[in-house]
Amino acid sequence: MQNLVSIISYTCIGIGLFFWFWGTSHLVSNKSVLFKLHGLTVADTLGSMLMMVGILMQIPSKWPLLVLGIISLAMWNTMLGYVIAYCSTHDTTIEAENE
């Protein structure tokens, strides 16, 4: 049973690392900056959450901290994405008001 948990845990960590590198690889594309940031933040969030689930399977005694980390990560990255989108859409109106 422990062997199966280790295999699933390392698979989650490996998939999480894949998401990290996959999201970063899109930074060199010819798309807009916002598209690149969106792809990067989604891939990093999913990758980090999968890695934390994998760590949670390895160290189940630390579940309160790891679950709090997963929830905080999901909330923080979602809010940061909204802030970036808001700032990028209202950047020109702020400059026009200041002139």
Side-chain angles (χ1 to χ4, degrees):
M1 183 63 177
Q2 181 64 25
N3 194 18
L4 180 62
V5 171
S6 292
I7 290 171
I8 294 171
S9 171
Y10 289 130
T11 302
C12 285
I13 293 171
I15 293 171
L17 283 171
F18 171 76
F19 273 122
W20 269 11
F21 289 114
W22 180 66
T24 305
S25 68
H26 288 282
L27 292 176
V28 295
S29 68
N30 291 331
K31 307 262 182 176
S32 71
V33 174
L34 293 177
F35 184 83
K36 292 176 186 181
L37 282 175
H38 174 70
L40 178 66
T41 56
V42 169
D44 283 348
T45 301
L46 289 175
S48 298
M49 290 172 79
L50 277 170
M51 285 189 268
M52 290 182 82
V53 167
I55 293 170
L56 179 61
M57 290 180 181
Q58 291 290 323
I59 313 170
S61 63
K62 302 291 184 187
W63 73 267
L65 291 174
L66 290 170
V67 169
L68 180 65
I70 290 170
I71 292 170
S72 299
L73 183 66
M75 288 175 38
W76 173 254
N77 282 348
T78 302
M79 293 305 292
L80 183 62
Y82 282 122
V83 168
I84 289 172
Y86 179 81
C87 290
S88 67
T89 57
H90 295 292
D91 188 29
T92 57
T93 57
I94 293 171
E95 288 177 4
E97 290 174 2
N98 289 337
E99 292 178 357

